[in-house]
Amino acid sequence: MSTMLQVTGLSHRYGTGEHAHVAVNDLTFTVETGELSCIVGPSGCGKSTLLRCISGLITPTGGEVSLHGDRVTGVPEDLAVVFQDYSRSLFPWLTVRQNVEFPLRWKKSRAERRERSEEALEWVSLPGVGGKYPWQLSGGMQQRVSIARALARRPALLLMDEPFASVDAQTRFELEDLLRSVQLQHGSTILLVTHDIDESVYLGDRVLVLSKSPARIVADLPVDLPAERHQITTRESANFVSLRAEVARLLQGGTPAEPAAGVVSEKPS
Amino acid sequence: MNHFLGFLRKWSLFFGAVVLWELATRLAEDPFFPPPTTILDKIAELWFSAPATRLFLTDDVYQDILPSLGRVFGGWSIAVVLGVGLGTALGRSRTGMDYVGPLFAFMRAIPPPTLIPVFLVLLSIGTSMKLTTIVFGSIWPILLNTVDGVRSVNATQRDTARSFRTPQHYWIAMVVLPAALPKIFAGLRLSLSIALILMVVSEMVGATDGIGYELIFAQQRFDFPAMWSWIVLLGVLGYGLNALLLVVERRMLSWQPSTGATTAKTTGA
């Protein structure tokens, strides 16, 4: 496995002097190629700031981010972001297909764009809606469109900022499974930020637990669950239950309690 | 059938008023108020009495109506290009409006017809005087609405476009302008009716042809049916131009979930 993303000593401070607010403090971690990593942290701990630093949307005040070995300055070419607010992230004046093709507009020919958008819409199980406008689709379908748009770009790293926080529970389960299967099929490298403990354990190959603001990494837990997950059986498995309890404890206290039986806390080789 | 009922509901009051007017004017026999049927006869004689080889259109149509329409469209088009262009630049600039805002507020507060004497002195009687008057009067709603519209691009849309490294001209053409379009259209409709008014007024004071000139000329030679004919023509033109623009607006804003609501909102002026 090669390292896709390397974050070293990342800090970000908003403002200066007395009113300065440190959102992220000295974060160091890596994301391996083909891995789905989840970052879980309490609300307002600086998760979004972290993601914006990684995506190059803001320049961190300290530390450094590198994507497949290249230092990130500005938005990297082969990166895509899926935002929480799909209704604002999708362009309402473009049809679903035009939205998905948007990031390819200045890079690919018309035929190639069409081919890629059809393909990406199929990946997210939305064939045949290309001609509709986003508002004609349900919230869950809209978020799938924005996932398709990100995938159509074939990013080396896909960043997701609380992507399922604005849909209902049922849809959320569907989207989680969809993301897992897309990731397994295409070996995408995904870094997903969430405040939902269950979601982070269910989705991740690995969970990074952040502390309260300013964010720092409290634990880096490998998720020892089978690659194929199931909303009911996975969630009732002993591994899942103890792992989510451990994450919850870490989030509450900041220090790990006695290691729960059956949960491996070493890094995978 | 429903269409017919709708048509009836929409127009019954209008036709009722015309019939009432006909009766009242026939009873009153006032030379200043000829009956609508007399006006219609005059209209037929004035504009549609030419031989078939000339499509029945008289010299008046070619020598007065077409030049007037040319002035409206010419002046309005210049205002649209300048207004949208300047408005986009100012809307995107963070401080631009801070500098020019008070100046614009002052200039748009000047009733445009009052500047006709100034333009008459500067540019003398001619097309440039009329165009200048129309441009100066009709640019403000377009300009200010464009600024407003351009600013309505939300932060998530901005981040999305940035995360795809959207080149500048795609950003403007595919995000900024479409986002601003509903507001721009509200401005366009307001400015079109202002352009029509200014065309007539400028032709009334300084012209040797055009609708405004003929209107005044008919009044001066006590040809009241002709005077009313030109007034009716202006009403029809105003109605037709607005309807035409509405059709274009509906087409271009067909992506909006409820175009009906926005049209209702932008009526007036």
Side-chain angles (χ1 to χ4, degrees):
Chain A
M1 261 189 188
S2 61
T3 300
M4 176 58 72
L5 176 74
Q6 177 140 28
V7 175
T8 323
L10 186 80
S11 321
H12 191 71
R13 196 179 60 238
Y14 290 106
T16 46
E18 266 179 61
H19 302 290
H21 166 66
V22 180
V24 178
N25 198 14
D26 196 21
L27 283 182
T28 300
F29 65 93
T30 58
V31 174
E32 303 301 317
T33 306
E35 189 180 55
L36 200 170
S37 313
C38 289
I39 294 182
V40 63
S43 296
C45 77
K47 300 188 293 283
S48 289
T49 304
L50 168 62
L51 217 65
R52 292 171 66 84
C53 287
I54 295 173
S55 61
L57 287 171
I58 50 177
T59 311
T61 50
E64 118 174 25
V65 176
S66 48
L67 188 66
H68 44 60
D70 307 323
R71 186 167 176 187
V72 170
T73 50
V75 181
E77 186 61 50
D78 46 3
L79 178 138
V81 188
V82 171
F83 296 92
Q84 175 186 340
D85 195 350
Y86 47 83
S87 64
R88 281 164 170 266
S89 172
L90 292 175
F91 301 119
W93 45 85
L94 300 180
T95 60
V96 166
R97 182 179 299 116
Q98 290 169 329
N99 262 293
V100 175
E101 288 179 8
F102 179 82
L104 310 172
R105 210 51 193 239
W106 45 92
K107 295 164 84 180
K108 301 282 171 200
S109 71
R110 182 184 283 264
E112 258 179 301
R113 289 205 303 261
R114 175 57 72 93
E115 196 188 308
R116 282 227 197 163
S117 66
E118 298 284 323
E119 187 183 64
L121 284 170
E122 223 160 89
W123 289 349
V124 297
S125 330
L126 274 184
V129 300
K132 295 199 173 182
Y133 285 104
W135 57 269
Q136 293 172 305
L137 306 179
S138 68
M141 285 162 99
Q142 289 183 38
Q143 190 58 302
R144 285 191 213 194
V145 173
S146 56
I147 294 172
R149 178 173 64 182
L151 292 173
R153 205 171 138 85
R154 308 257 164 89
L157 176 67
L158 176 59
L159 297 174
M160 305 182 92
D161 188 5
E162 306 238 13
F164 310 135
S166 305
V167 296
D168 61 82
Q170 210 63 45
T171 310
R172 183 173 193 150
F173 285 175
E174 273 170 37
L175 289 176
E176 285 170 0
D177 289 338
L178 180 100
L179 185 67
R180 269 305 294 185
S181 72
V182 165
Q183 194 263 340
L184 276 180
Q185 265 175 45
H186 305 284
S188 331
T189 311
I190 301 175
L191 180 62
L192 182 144
V193 157
T194 179
H195 65 264
D196 184 323
I197 299 164
D198 287 49
E199 183 170 271
S200 68
V201 175
Y202 183 79
L203 275 178
D205 296 318
R206 184 174 149 218
V207 176
L208 291 159
V209 185
L210 293 189
S211 67
K212 288 201 187 82
S213 176
R216 44 191 188 78
I217 293 178
V218 194
D220 180 351
L221 309 168
V223 176
D224 187 23
L225 292 169
E228 295 271 358
R229 299 189 186 171
H230 185 269
Q231 286 292 354
I232 297 166
T233 51
T234 302
R235 283 177 195 270
E236 65 189 4
S237 71
N239 268 359
F240 182 90
V241 174
S242 55
L243 206 50
R244 74 171 293 280
E246 188 177 356
V247 173
R249 242 176 242 121
L250 284 164
L251 279 176
Q252 240 175 22
T255 47
E258 64 278 15
V263 177
V264 196
S265 292
E266 299 95 50
K267 288 202 73 148
S269 51
Chain B
M1 193 60 196
N2 259 335
H3 257 77
F4 179 70
L5 279 178
F7 177 83
L8 216 64
R9 185 162 51 228
K10 222 171 165 178
W11 288 99
S12 54
L13 188 64
F14 178 83
F15 286 118
V18 173
V19 170
L20 262 182
W21 185 18
E22 176 81 27
L23 292 175
T25 45
R26 270 173 194 275
L27 281 174
E29 290 186 337
D30 187 327
F32 295 110
F33 294 101
T37 43
T38 313
I39 298 173
L40 277 177
D41 283 345
K42 190 72 188 177
I43 285 174
E45 179 205 322
L46 271 176
W47 304 318
F48 304 109
S49 58
T53 49
R54 302 198 52 195
L55 299 168
F56 302 105
L57 299 175
T58 59
D59 283 349
D60 274 17
V61 175
Y62 294 103
Q63 287 167 12
D64 293 303
I65 301 178
L66 286 186
S68 285
L69 284 177
R71 285 164 198 148
V72 172
F73 281 123
W76 186 65
S77 305
I78 296 172
V80 171
V81 172
L82 283 179
V84 172
L86 260 172
T88 307
L90 284 169
R92 296 184 66 221
S93 143
R94 199 167 307 182
T95 52
M97 271 311 266
D98 295 346
Y99 291 107
V100 292
L103 185 68
F104 285 177
F106 179 77
M107 295 217 281
R108 77 183 285 227
I110 300 170
T114 57
L115 284 165
I116 290 178
V118 180
F119 294 142
L120 257 177
V121 172
L122 288 176
L123 304 162
S124 82
I125 297 179
T127 311
S128 55
M129 180 280 273
K130 295 174 197 90
L131 287 183
T132 310
T133 308
I134 293 173
V135 171
F136 191 89
S138 62
I139 195 172
W140 306 111
I142 307 176
L143 178 62
L144 297 173
N145 273 28
T146 305
V147 170
D148 246 22
V150 164
R151 291 191 171 165
S152 70
V153 177
N154 68 52
T156 311
Q157 289 168 341
R158 195 178 302 273
D159 280 351
T160 303
R162 279 187 62 207
S163 76
F164 291 136
R165 293 169 55 110
T166 310
Q168 180 96 332
H169 51 283
Y170 281 93
W171 161 245
I172 292 175
M174 289 188 71
V175 183
V176 173
L177 285 179
L181 212 53
K183 286 261 168 116
I184 292 178
F185 263 107
L188 291 185
R189 291 176 56 207
L190 194 57
S191 73
L192 186 59
S193 56
I194 295 175
L196 194 69
I197 295 170
L198 291 175
M199 177 269 283
V200 180
V201 176
S202 65
E203 285 174 350
M204 280 177 170
V205 288
T208 50
D209 61 5
I211 298 172
Y213 165 77
E214 290 293 346
L215 177 53
I216 282 283
F217 187 56
Q219 180 246 1
Q220 283 166 354
R221 60 174 202 269
F222 303 104
D223 185 353
F224 297 115
M227 181 188 82
W228 282 101
S229 300
W230 292 105
I231 292 172
V232 169
L233 173 70
L234 284 168
V236 171
L237 277 183
Y239 183 88
L241 291 179
N242 195 49
L244 212 67
L245 192 58
L246 255 178
V247 171
V248 177
E249 178 177 340
R250 288 230 173 90
R251 278 195 77 108
M252 291 190 72
L253 298 182
S254 60
W255 53 268
Q256 283 195 324
S258 54
T259 315
T262 46
T263 357
K265 205 169 59 201
T266 57
T267 329

